[in-house]
Structure formats: structure tokens, C-alpha cells
mmCIF file of all heavy atoms in Angstrom:
data_model
loop_
_atom_site.group_PDB
_atom_site.id
_atom_site.type_symbol
_atom_site.label_atom_id
_atom_site.label_comp_id
_atom_site.label_asym_id
_atom_site.label_seq_id
_atom_site.Cartn_x
_atom_site.Cartn_y
_atom_site.Cartn_z
ATOM 1 N N LYS V 1 -10.983 -13.232 -14.135
ATOM 2 C CA LYS V 1 -12.014 -13.694 -13.166
ATOM 3 C C LYS V 1 -13.038 -14.476 -13.878
ATOM 4 O O LYS V 1 -13.682 -13.971 -14.795
ATOM 5 C CB LYS V 1 -12.593 -12.515 -12.410
ATOM 6 C CG LYS V 1 -13.862 -12.903 -11.592
ATOM 7 C CD LYS V 1 -13.539 -13.743 -10.440
ATOM 8 C CE LYS V 1 -14.744 -14.009 -9.546
ATOM 9 N NZ LYS V 1 -14.434 -14.897 -8.407
ATOM 10 N N LEU V 2 -13.231 -15.748 -13.462
ATOM 11 C CA LEU V 2 -14.265 -16.593 -14.026
ATOM 12 C C LEU V 2 -15.440 -16.689 -13.011
ATOM 13 O O LEU V 2 -15.199 -16.919 -11.827
ATOM 14 C CB LEU V 2 -13.736 -17.995 -14.324
ATOM 15 C CG LEU V 2 -14.726 -18.992 -14.940
ATOM 16 C CD1 LEU V 2 -15.092 -18.477 -16.368
ATOM 17 C CD2 LEU V 2 -14.140 -20.340 -15.017
ATOM 18 N N GLY V 3 -16.589 -16.388 -13.450
ATOM 19 C CA GLY V 3 -17.753 -16.417 -12.605
ATOM 20 C C GLY V 3 -18.075 -15.121 -11.947
ATOM 21 O O GLY V 3 -17.540 -14.053 -12.367
ATOM 22 N N GLN V 4 -18.892 -15.134 -10.941
ATOM 23 C CA GLN V 4 -19.374 -13.940 -10.329
ATOM 24 C C GLN V 4 -18.427 -13.440 -9.203
ATOM 25 O O GLN V 4 -17.892 -14.248 -8.452
ATOM 26 C CB GLN V 4 -20.752 -14.173 -9.745
ATOM 27 C CG GLN V 4 -21.821 -14.557 -10.742
ATOM 28 C CD GLN V 4 -22.108 -13.456 -11.728
ATOM 29 O OE1 GLN V 4 -22.190 -12.310 -11.368
ATOM 30 N NE2 GLN V 4 -22.224 -13.805 -12.989
ATOM 31 N N PHE V 5 -18.337 -12.136 -9.148
ATOM 32 C CA PHE V 5 -17.622 -11.536 -7.961
ATOM 33 C C PHE V 5 -18.492 -11.702 -6.710
ATOM 34 O O PHE V 5 -19.705 -11.828 -6.799
ATOM 35 C CB PHE V 5 -17.299 -10.081 -8.219
ATOM 36 C CG PHE V 5 -16.252 -9.832 -9.251
ATOM 37 C CD1 PHE V 5 -16.570 -9.554 -10.578
ATOM 38 C CD2 PHE V 5 -14.913 -9.900 -8.898
ATOM 39 C CE1 PHE V 5 -15.601 -9.362 -11.489
ATOM 40 C CE2 PHE V 5 -13.926 -9.696 -9.826
ATOM 41 C CZ PHE V 5 -14.247 -9.419 -11.134
ATOM 42 N N SER V 6 -17.830 -11.649 -5.560
ATOM 43 C CA SER V 6 -18.575 -11.876 -4.333
ATOM 44 C C SER V 6 -19.431 -10.696 -3.884
ATOM 45 O O SER V 6 -20.348 -10.860 -3.076
ATOM 46 C CB SER V 6 -17.547 -12.194 -3.187
ATOM 47 O OG SER V 6 -16.709 -11.086 -2.991
ATOM 48 N N SER V 7 -19.175 -9.529 -4.490
ATOM 49 C CA SER V 7 -19.943 -8.323 -4.151
ATOM 50 C C SER V 7 -19.850 -7.345 -5.334
ATOM 51 O O SER V 7 -19.035 -7.516 -6.207
ATOM 52 C CB SER V 7 -19.504 -7.699 -2.827
ATOM 53 O OG SER V 7 -18.249 -7.075 -2.990
ATOM 54 N N GLY V 8 -20.629 -6.247 -5.191
ATOM 55 C CA GLY V 8 -20.634 -5.265 -6.240
ATOM 56 C C GLY V 8 -19.311 -4.547 -6.498
ATOM 57 O O GLY V 8 -19.010 -4.040 -7.561
ATOM 58 N N THR V 9 -18.451 -4.458 -5.454
ATOM 59 C CA THR V 9 -17.203 -3.793 -5.538
ATOM 60 C C THR V 9 -16.025 -4.720 -5.493
ATOM 61 O O THR V 9 -14.850 -4.288 -5.421
ATOM 62 C CB THR V 9 -17.058 -2.728 -4.438
ATOM 63 O OG1 THR V 9 -17.144 -3.374 -3.177
ATOM 64 C CG2 THR V 9 -18.147 -1.670 -4.559
ATOM 65 N N ALA V 10 -16.309 -5.984 -5.562
ATOM 66 C CA ALA V 10 -15.225 -7.010 -5.397
ATOM 67 C C ALA V 10 -14.250 -6.974 -6.569
ATOM 68 O O ALA V 10 -13.124 -7.500 -6.419
ATOM 69 C CB ALA V 10 -15.802 -8.384 -5.272
ATOM 70 N N TYR V 11 -14.592 -6.375 -7.707
ATOM 71 C CA TYR V 11 -13.693 -6.305 -8.833
ATOM 72 C C TYR V 11 -12.406 -5.587 -8.473
ATOM 73 O O TYR V 11 -11.382 -5.649 -9.165
ATOM 74 C CB TYR V 11 -14.359 -5.629 -10.008
ATOM 75 C CG TYR V 11 -14.796 -4.211 -9.715
ATOM 76 C CD1 TYR V 11 -13.937 -3.158 -9.802
ATOM 77 C CD2 TYR V 11 -16.121 -3.955 -9.283
ATOM 78 C CE1 TYR V 11 -14.317 -1.857 -9.534
ATOM 79 C CE2 TYR V 11 -16.535 -2.688 -8.974
ATOM 80 C CZ TYR V 11 -15.628 -1.616 -9.102
ATOM 81 O OH TYR V 11 -16.006 -0.361 -8.791
ATOM 82 N N LYS V 12 -12.460 -4.839 -7.388
ATOM 83 C CA LYS V 12 -11.290 -4.029 -6.947
ATOM 84 C C LYS V 12 -10.295 -4.886 -6.109
ATOM 85 O O LYS V 12 -9.190 -4.397 -5.821
ATOM 86 C CB LYS V 12 -11.701 -2.808 -6.086
ATOM 87 C CG LYS V 12 -12.553 -1.825 -6.816
ATOM 88 C CD LYS V 12 -12.879 -0.673 -5.815
ATOM 89 C CE LYS V 12 -13.744 0.386 -6.516
ATOM 90 N NZ LYS V 12 -14.037 1.523 -5.543
ATOM 91 N N ARG V 13 -10.711 -6.051 -5.741
ATOM 92 C CA ARG V 13 -9.929 -6.854 -4.749
ATOM 93 C C ARG V 13 -9.132 -7.886 -5.536
ATOM 94 O O ARG V 13 -9.722 -8.768 -6.217
ATOM 95 C CB ARG V 13 -10.808 -7.511 -3.726
ATOM 96 C CG ARG V 13 -11.651 -6.463 -2.989
ATOM 97 C CD ARG V 13 -12.602 -7.127 -1.986
ATOM 98 N NE ARG V 13 -13.587 -6.176 -1.509
ATOM 99 C CZ ARG V 13 -14.825 -6.428 -1.305
ATOM 100 N NH1 ARG V 13 -15.271 -7.691 -1.507
ATOM 101 N NH2 ARG V 13 -15.673 -5.555 -0.915
ATOM 102 N N ASP V 14 -7.860 -7.921 -5.372
ATOM 103 C CA ASP V 14 -7.009 -8.834 -6.158
ATOM 104 C C ASP V 14 -7.311 -10.282 -5.858
ATOM 105 O O ASP V 14 -7.191 -11.132 -6.755
ATOM 106 C CB ASP V 14 -5.523 -8.527 -5.993
ATOM 107 C CG ASP V 14 -5.038 -8.538 -4.597
ATOM 108 O OD1 ASP V 14 -5.859 -8.822 -3.661
ATOM 109 O OD2 ASP V 14 -3.873 -8.313 -4.327
ATOM 110 N N HIS V 15 -7.698 -10.576 -4.590
ATOM 111 C CA HIS V 15 -7.916 -11.990 -4.286
ATOM 112 C C HIS V 15 -9.178 -12.563 -4.929
ATOM 113 O O HIS V 15 -9.373 -13.780 -4.882
ATOM 114 C CB HIS V 15 -7.993 -12.140 -2.755
ATOM 115 C CG HIS V 15 -9.208 -11.511 -2.135
ATOM 116 N ND1 HIS V 15 -9.163 -10.274 -1.574
ATOM 117 C CD2 HIS V 15 -10.462 -11.946 -1.963
ATOM 118 C CE1 HIS V 15 -10.363 -9.952 -1.093
ATOM 119 N NE2 HIS V 15 -11.185 -10.988 -1.315
ATOM 120 N N GLU V 16 -9.952 -11.706 -5.530
ATOM 121 C CA GLU V 16 -11.155 -12.198 -6.204
ATOM 122 C C GLU V 16 -10.835 -12.805 -7.588
ATOM 123 O O GLU V 16 -11.606 -13.535 -8.127
ATOM 124 C CB GLU V 16 -12.093 -10.964 -6.447
ATOM 125 C CG GLU V 16 -12.815 -10.518 -5.189
ATOM 126 C CD GLU V 16 -14.049 -11.303 -4.834
ATOM 127 O OE1 GLU V 16 -14.594 -11.955 -5.743
ATOM 128 O OE2 GLU V 16 -14.436 -11.297 -3.657
ATOM 129 N N TYR V 17 -9.667 -12.518 -8.114
ATOM 130 C CA TYR V 17 -9.287 -12.951 -9.443
ATOM 131 C C TYR V 17 -8.645 -14.329 -9.411
ATOM 132 O O TYR V 17 -7.944 -14.652 -8.466
ATOM 133 C CB TYR V 17 -8.389 -11.915 -10.128
ATOM 134 C CG TYR V 17 -9.135 -10.661 -10.458
ATOM 135 C CD1 TYR V 17 -9.435 -9.683 -9.532
ATOM 136 C CD2 TYR V 17 -9.606 -10.416 -11.761
ATOM 137 C CE1 TYR V 17 -10.155 -8.609 -9.755
ATOM 138 C CE2 TYR V 17 -10.283 -9.252 -12.099
ATOM 139 C CZ TYR V 17 -10.574 -8.352 -11.119
ATOM 140 O OH TYR V 17 -11.264 -7.207 -11.414
ATOM 141 N N ASP V 18 -8.876 -15.086 -10.456
ATOM 142 C CA ASP V 18 -8.437 -16.472 -10.483
ATOM 143 C C ASP V 18 -7.095 -16.690 -11.120
ATOM 144 O O ASP V 18 -6.357 -17.639 -10.783
ATOM 145 C CB ASP V 18 -9.463 -17.336 -11.237
ATOM 146 C CG ASP V 18 -10.865 -17.218 -10.645
ATOM 147 O OD1 ASP V 18 -11.021 -17.563 -9.425
ATOM 148 O OD2 ASP V 18 -11.754 -16.748 -11.336
ATOM 149 N N TYR V 19 -6.764 -15.863 -12.089
ATOM 150 C CA TYR V 19 -5.512 -16.060 -12.853
ATOM 151 C C TYR V 19 -4.794 -14.700 -12.978
ATOM 152 O O TYR V 19 -5.407 -13.694 -13.193
ATOM 153 C CB TYR V 19 -5.826 -16.640 -14.248
ATOM 154 C CG TYR V 19 -6.564 -17.950 -14.157
ATOM 155 C CD1 TYR V 19 -7.910 -17.993 -14.382
ATOM 156 C CD2 TYR V 19 -5.890 -19.128 -13.854
ATOM 157 C CE1 TYR V 19 -8.623 -19.209 -14.299
ATOM 158 C CE2 TYR V 19 -6.556 -20.364 -13.783
ATOM 159 C CZ TYR V 19 -7.946 -20.355 -13.999
ATOM 160 O OH TYR V 19 -8.650 -21.532 -13.880
ATOM 161 N N TRP V 20 -3.448 -14.829 -13.036
ATOM 162 C CA TRP V 20 -2.624 -13.621 -13.095
ATOM 163 C C TRP V 20 -1.510 -13.822 -14.090
ATOM 164 O O TRP V 20 -0.996 -14.934 -14.265
ATOM 165 C CB TRP V 20 -1.991 -13.334 -11.718
ATOM 166 C CG TRP V 20 -3.032 -12.873 -10.701
ATOM 167 C CD1 TRP V 20 -3.844 -13.689 -9.976
ATOM 168 C CD2 TRP V 20 -3.377 -11.564 -10.397
ATOM 169 N NE1 TRP V 20 -4.614 -12.900 -9.171
ATOM 170 C CE2 TRP V 20 -4.385 -11.566 -9.420
ATOM 171 C CE3 TRP V 20 -2.895 -10.290 -10.816
ATOM 172 C CZ2 TRP V 20 -4.932 -10.425 -8.870
ATOM 173 C CZ3 TRP V 20 -3.398 -9.164 -10.274
ATOM 174 C CH2 TRP V 20 -4.447 -9.214 -9.331
ATOM 175 N N GLY V 21 -1.120 -12.717 -14.709
ATOM 176 C CA GLY V 21 0.103 -12.720 -15.520
ATOM 177 C C GLY V 21 1.334 -12.496 -14.640
ATOM 178 O O GLY V 21 1.213 -12.322 -13.453
ATOM 179 N N GLN V 22 2.415 -12.466 -15.303
ATOM 180 C CA GLN V 22 3.712 -12.348 -14.577
ATOM 181 C C GLN V 22 4.085 -10.839 -14.286
ATOM 182 O O GLN V 22 4.947 -10.556 -13.474
ATOM 183 C CB GLN V 22 4.826 -12.963 -15.371
ATOM 184 C CG GLN V 22 5.459 -12.104 -16.427
ATOM 185 C CD GLN V 22 4.587 -11.933 -17.645
ATOM 186 O OE1 GLN V 22 3.532 -12.576 -17.803
ATOM 187 N NE2 GLN V 22 4.975 -11.005 -18.565
ATOM 188 N N GLY V 23 3.333 -9.949 -14.959
ATOM 189 C CA GLY V 23 3.601 -8.556 -14.677
ATOM 190 C C GLY V 23 4.582 -7.924 -15.720
ATOM 191 O O GLY V 23 5.471 -8.604 -16.281
ATOM 192 N N THR V 24 4.428 -6.646 -15.905
ATOM 193 C CA THR V 24 5.292 -5.911 -16.738
ATOM 194 C C THR V 24 5.626 -4.559 -16.082
ATOM 195 O O THR V 24 4.777 -3.883 -15.547
ATOM 196 C CB THR V 24 4.731 -5.679 -18.177
ATOM 197 O OG1 THR V 24 5.663 -5.074 -19.036
ATOM 198 C CG2 THR V 24 3.446 -4.796 -18.137
#
């Protein structure tokens, strides 16, 4: 995540993040 989250608990929301890996 680059920049500020939209709220204090937004770190829990996947749509707040900008980039993702492919998963393991």
C-alpha cells in the first residue's frame, strides 16, 4: 500500500492495497 489508508482499520481491507503478489 502506497500512501494513506482511508481509515484507521482500512489496513484489513484487501481493496485498500495497490499491489499484490501471485500467492503461495
